[in-house]
């Protein structure tokens, strides 16, 4: 019998924590899932699913309004904000219910509905003052919205994605701060649903894009679709029930009043109340534990970390992968195994969509990789023009020495699907020539991928330039 109360303690019952629990239970029954907060994953409650519900409503209205050039008669498409938000809440609650059902399926004797903090590497203190010891612990406590200090003046007129989906009606006007994933998706969706929106980005960020040429393209296209300012300097004041934003951007200055501020300025891991200072875990300047992302172990401690708490890639599939690795290793502690991680894939459900597969432009530049670039603009891509979704740019990156496809960034139509396609061929370690040997149907948007790959193959020195123009692909073959 172990000298500890538990073999594995898991802090947090979100995606990473639930996955870690399932994995640890394969090897030991002496496991506790500890969480005193609201049950239901970030994805189901306030993230992926409710945001896609709002986006679906927004895109349905937008597509109807844009049908005129097809020769269709389109009238005004009204918005019943209460009906929109009712469906968002009901479907959101349905998804949360699935998570709760899964938790109810766990052995309830293994679930502790309290929060905990470390007294030392192996000892946890619960809210009721009781203590328990664990041979190994997995931190999977998730994250919460980061609220910059200047926003505090907004008081009850400040909302985050954690608040938005509980509303019974759409707001009349919102100042959205941040052009990351949350800001772009929610800002554009609210605009398309008739909310007066202006997005403010203090830097030049656009979702997950790191390629400078693509970032410039995305700023231009998105800025033409709804009011958005990059590299903005802002001052925020409150006047009664109104938020006053004074801004300077692009050599212009303006002032606008809004009902609310939507803070989409990132999320911070829930680590500050865990008592990490009582452990031997080393942390960086932001208080994040230093850990090996192949094993999820923090140094040589009996402590592992997974999901949003790790502040690495705040994506559901990454949280599940990290939970699986951390749960298995915690159950085997003191043995700890390093696992190969999947090819990175991130998607932003803006319109046009954004996808980054494999190594990004920034990744390759940071490691001083010898790579070449192939591009395609979608303006004249055949199928994209047919559907009137012909905006955006795809850039693919190949290794100069081997001809392998290393990564890609995309701002354009069907990026959520093309991102998967590219991540799969990168995972299979295919060269650009080998990918070009795969079938490409006509007419499909994926023919644009072929154009980019042909241009990359030329840049790598493996083929002559493609035809100047082809009816299936537009310029570049």
């Amino acid at each position: 019998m172990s000298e500890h109360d538990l073999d594995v303690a898991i802090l947090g019952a979100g995606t990473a924590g639930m996955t870690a629990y399932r994995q640890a239970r394969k090897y030991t029954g002496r496991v506790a899932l500890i969480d005193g907060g609201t049950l239901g994953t970030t994805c189901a409650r306030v993230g992926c699913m409710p945001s896609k519900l709002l986006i679906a409503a927004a895109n349905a209205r937008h597509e109807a309004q844009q049908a005129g050039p097809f020769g269709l008669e389109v009238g005004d498409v009204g918005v019943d904000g209460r009906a929109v938000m009712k469906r968002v809440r009901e479907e959101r609650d349905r998804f949360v219910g699935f998570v709760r059902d899964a938790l109810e399926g766990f052995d309830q004797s293994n679930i502790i509905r309290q929060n905990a903090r470390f007294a030392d590497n192996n000892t946890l203190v619960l809210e009721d003052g009781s203590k328990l010891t664990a041979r190994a612990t997995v931190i999977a406590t998730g994250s919460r919205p980061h609220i910059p200090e200047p926003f505090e003046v907004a008081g009850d007129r400040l909302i985050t994605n954690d608040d938005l989906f509980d509303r019974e009606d759409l707001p009349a006007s919102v100042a959205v701060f941040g052009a990351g994933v949350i800001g772009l998706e929610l800002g554009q969706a609210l605009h398309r649903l008739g909310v007066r929106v202006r997005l403010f980005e203090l830097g030049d960020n656009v979702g997950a894009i790191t390629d400078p040429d693509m970032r410039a393209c995305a700023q231009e296209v998105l800025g033409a679709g709804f009011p958005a300012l990059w590299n903005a300097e802002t001052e925020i004041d409150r006047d009664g029930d109104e938020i006053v934003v004074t801004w300077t951007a692009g050599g212009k200055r303006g002032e606008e009043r809004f009902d609310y501020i939507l803070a989409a300025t990132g999320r911070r891991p829930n680590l500050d109340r865990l008592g990490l200072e009582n452990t031997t875990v080393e942390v960086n300047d932001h208080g994040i534990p230093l850990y090996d992302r192949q094993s999820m172990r923090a140094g040589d401690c009996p402590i592992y970390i997974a999901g949003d708490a790790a502040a690495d890639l705040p994506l559901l599939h990454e949280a599940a992968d990290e939970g699986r690795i951390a749960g298995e290793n915690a159950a085997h502690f003191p043995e700890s195994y390093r696992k190969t991680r999947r090819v990175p894939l991130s998607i932003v459900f803006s319109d046009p969509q954004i996808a980054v597969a494999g190594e990004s432009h920034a990744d390759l530049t940071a490691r001083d990789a010898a790579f070449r670039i192939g591009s395609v603009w979608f303006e004249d891509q055949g199928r994209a023009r047919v559907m009137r979704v012909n905006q955006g740019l795809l850039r693919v990156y190949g290794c100069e020495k081997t001809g392998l496809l290393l990564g890609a960034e995309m701002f354009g139509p069907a990026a959520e699907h093309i991102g998967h396609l590219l991540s799969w061929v990168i995972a299979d370690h295919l060269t650009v020539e080998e990918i070009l040997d795969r079938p490409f149907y006509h007419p499909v948007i994926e023919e644009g991928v072929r154009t980019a790959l042909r241009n990359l193959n030329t840049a790598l020195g493996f083929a002559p330039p493609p035809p100047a123009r082809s009816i299936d692909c537009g310029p570049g073959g």
Side-chain angles (χ1 to χ4, degrees), residues 375-388:
S375 303
V376 62
W377 293 87
F378 283 92
E379 181 180 3
D380 283 329
Q381 200 278 324
R383 182 66 185 280
R385 284 192 67 88
V386 167
M387 297 189 295
R388 298 190 71 249

Side-chain angles (χ1 to χ4, degrees), residues 79-423:
V79 178
D80 182 340
R82 287 188 171 273
V84 169
M85 296 309 296
K86 182 174 183 289
R87 179 174 187 263
V88 169
R89 293 194 312 276
E90 289 178 348
E91 288 295 309
R92 182 272 313 271
D93 292 346
R94 180 170 173 267
F95 290 121
V96 171
F98 295 152
V99 177
R100 288 177 175 162
D101 289 346
L103 284 165
E104 289 176 4
F106 292 172
D107 185 338
Q108 295 303 296
S109 66
N110 294 148
I111 298 178
I112 300 174
R113 293 291 287 123
Q114 299 186 59
N115 292 316
R117 57 186 286 113
F118 287 97
D120 57 45
N121 279 356
N122 298 101
T123 307
L124 294 165
V125 181
L126 301 178
E127 287 176 309
D128 64 6
S130 61
K131 295 182 180 181
L132 58 83
T133 61
R135 182 161 52 84
T137 300
V138 176
I139 299 171
T141 45
S143 63
R144 63 184 185 272
H146 169 63
I147 308 297
E149 186 176 345
F151 293 176
E152 293 177 0
V153 69
D156 62 355
R157 291 284 161 169
L158 171 67
I159 57 176
T160 68
N161 62 302
D162 282 16
D163 312 314
L164 178 63
F165 305 116
D166 282 326
R167 293 183 60 87
E168 294 187 356
D169 200 352
L170 292 167
S173 59
V174 175
V176 179
F177 280 83
V181 177
I182 296 171
L184 286 182
E185 290 185 351
L186 298 185
Q188 187 180 61
L190 290 170
H191 168 75
R192 289 183 170 186
L193 288 168
V195 177
R196 178 168 60 82
V197 170
R198 187 179 293 277
L199 182 145
F200 299 93
E201 167 57 46
L202 305 187
D204 63 352
N205 294 323
V206 187
I209 296 172
T210 72
D211 189 302
D213 289 346
M214 188 168 302
R215 187 175 284 166
C217 169
Q219 289 175 359
E220 180 179 353
V221 172
L222 291 170
F226 74 107
L229 297 171
W230 276 267
N231 298 303
E233 297 180 7
T234 62
E235 295 180 7
I236 304 168
D237 292 299
R238 178 163 176 168
D239 182 9
D241 285 339
E242 292 185 318
I243 302 300
V244 183
V245 181
T246 305
W247 53 266
T248 302
K252 296 181 180 180
R253 183 176 174 85
E255 179 182 292
E256 198 165 352
R257 291 172 177 260
F258 302 91
D259 291 330
Y260 294 94
I261 284 179
L262 173 60
T265 44
R267 297 180 69 85
R268 58 182 299 182
N270 294 323
L271 299 170
D272 47 327
R273 302 182 188 121
L274 295 183
L276 288 175
E277 67 276 8
N278 300 322
T279 71
T280 58
V281 170
E282 294 185 47
V283 299
N284 63 17
D285 293 341
H286 301 288
I288 312 298
L290 302 177
Y291 68 96
D292 173 18
R293 72 184 307 271
Q294 251 80 49
S295 69
M296 307 311 297
R297 185 178 177 184
D300 59 358
C301 302
I303 297 172
Y304 298 80
I305 189 165
D308 286 7
D312 180 19
L313 297 171
L315 306 168
L316 182 140
H317 66 278
E318 295 286 353
D321 286 350
E322 291 169 359
R324 191 174 299 111
I325 295 169
E328 179 176 343
N329 275 332
H332 284 108
F333 186 82
E335 301 297 330
S336 195
Y337 305 98
R338 305 183 84 232
K339 305 289 186 180
T340 301
R341 299 293 296 268
R342 301 189 208 206
V343 170
L345 172 63
S346 63
I347 296 168
V348 181
F349 293 86
S350 54
D351 182 19
Q353 294 178 340
I354 297 168
V356 179
E359 292 186 274
S360 67
H361 187 278
D363 292 333
L364 294 165
T365 302
R367 71 175 179 85
D368 198 24
F371 70 101
R372 296 285 183 173
I373 301 174
S375 303
V376 62
W377 293 87
F378 283 92
E379 181 180 3
D380 283 329
Q381 200 278 324
R383 182 66 185 280
R385 284 192 67 88
V386 167
M387 297 189 295
R388 298 190 71 249
V389 293
N390 53 316
Q391 290 181 306
L393 171 66
L394 167 65
R395 306 258 280 178
V396 288
Y397 314 120
C399 177
E400 285 186 354
K401 295 180 180 179
T402 64
L404 289 170
L405 183 65
L406 300 175
E409 297 193 27
M410 180 176 180
F411 172 73
E416 64 178 295
H417 305 299
I418 290 174
H420 280 86
L421 174 72
L422 292 171
S423 67

Side-chain angles (χ1 to χ4, degrees), residues 38-47 50 92 96 100 161-162 165:
T38 303
L39 296 179
T41 64
T42 296
C43 173
R45 286 191 304 108
V46 298
R92 182 272 313 271
V96 171
R100 288 177 175 162
N161 62 302
D162 282 16
F165 305 116

